[in-house]
Amino acid sequence: MTAPGPNINGEVPTVLVRDDEGRDLLCFLEQLIPLDDKDYALLTPVDTPVSLFRLSEGNDPELIETIASSEPILSVADVVLQEHDLTLVRSAVTLTVNGELDEPDPEELEDEETDDDSETYELLVSFMVQEQEYGLYIPLDPFFVVARMTDGQAKLVEGEEFDQVQPRIEVELEDREL
């Protein structure tokens, strides 16, 4: 099967992917990759993915990898984003932001001196919670999600299955580029 790409109307198909906790993430279908009689989908979120970092003066931002969707920090982030007409969505796989975001100026990004973390992220908003500063950052690298397609439904590929298929998907994508 080949890449779906835009349809006749120029629209890229969308797929709703679900994780084990029942959370959904609406994604664009970028590629379909058949492996072992299963179809795997390479997806990109429709809304803008964001990452939460703990900020402290003099130190690099610290990525918070797991956070409960009921965490008070996210409630404060909700309020701050609403001031910018944005909405924080507690999606499958990642937090996302819904709303109109300003596109980063590529020249501005090239001119900035960057650390390892700031090379791959751009600060969207920062805020304080109980005397601790946090920031929501937008990844500058493409954010891909892998799902297994079964009867038109997308199931998030996680854990061991992801570890097994991810290198094979990368090889398949490299072969397609040649």
Side-chain angles (χ1 to χ4, degrees):
M1 197 170 240
T2 59
N7 63 20
I8 297 171
N9 301 328
E11 298 173 359
V12 176
T14 57
V15 174
L16 191 64
V17 66
R18 178 163 286 149
D19 67 9
D20 288 335
E21 296 178 23
R23 294 175 301 190
D24 296 328
L25 179 63
L26 184 61
C27 294
F28 292 115
L29 178 58
E30 301 293 341
Q31 300 271 338
L32 272 178
I33 301 153
L35 294 174
D36 303 328
D37 297 323
K38 296 177 186 169
D39 283 330
Y40 290 91
L42 190 61
L43 311 167
T44 55
V46 170
D47 290 333
T48 304
V50 292
S51 297
L52 180 65
F53 283 82
R54 182 177 292 111
L55 308 175
S56 54
E57 207 168 304
N59 294 326
D60 288 339
E62 176 190 343
L63 176 63
I64 299 173
E65 296 197 31
T66 55
I67 186 164
S69 60
S70 61
E71 185 71 38
I73 297 166
L74 297 181
S75 298
V76 175
D78 273 329
V79 172
V80 173
L81 287 170
Q82 287 172 11
E83 293 171 5
H84 299 278
D85 295 324
L86 300 170
T87 306
L88 183 65
V89 182
R90 291 146 177 88
S91 308
V93 185
T94 186
L95 296 170
T96 58
V97 171
N98 181 300
E100 289 295 317
L101 293 169
D102 295 331
E103 290 293 319
D105 181 0
E107 289 179 19
E108 193 175 292
L109 293 175
E110 289 174 11
D111 291 343
E112 291 180 5
E113 289 187 29
T114 56
D115 319 353
D116 289 341
D117 284 335
S118 59
E119 282 181 27
T120 56
Y121 294 94
E122 178 185 10
L123 179 63
L124 175 61
V125 294
S126 62
F127 52 93
M128 299 292 287
V129 177
Q130 298 177 350
E131 298 182 27
Q132 173 63 58
E133 188 175 11
Y134 294 91
L136 285 176
Y137 284 76
I138 301 169
L140 297 177
D141 295 331
F143 187 92
F144 291 106
V145 175
V146 177
R148 186 177 57 265
M149 300 299 293
T150 309
D151 299 325
Q153 300 293 312
K155 175 76 169 90
L156 180 66
V157 175
E158 301 177 279
E160 283 184 36
E161 184 181 9
F162 179 79
D163 294 341
Q164 292 171 357
V165 300
Q166 187 254 348
R168 296 176 62 203
I169 289 172
E170 287 179 1
V171 167
E172 175 67 27
L173 292 173
E174 287 173 10
D175 289 348
R176 289 181 183 187
E177 290 178 8
L178 298 176

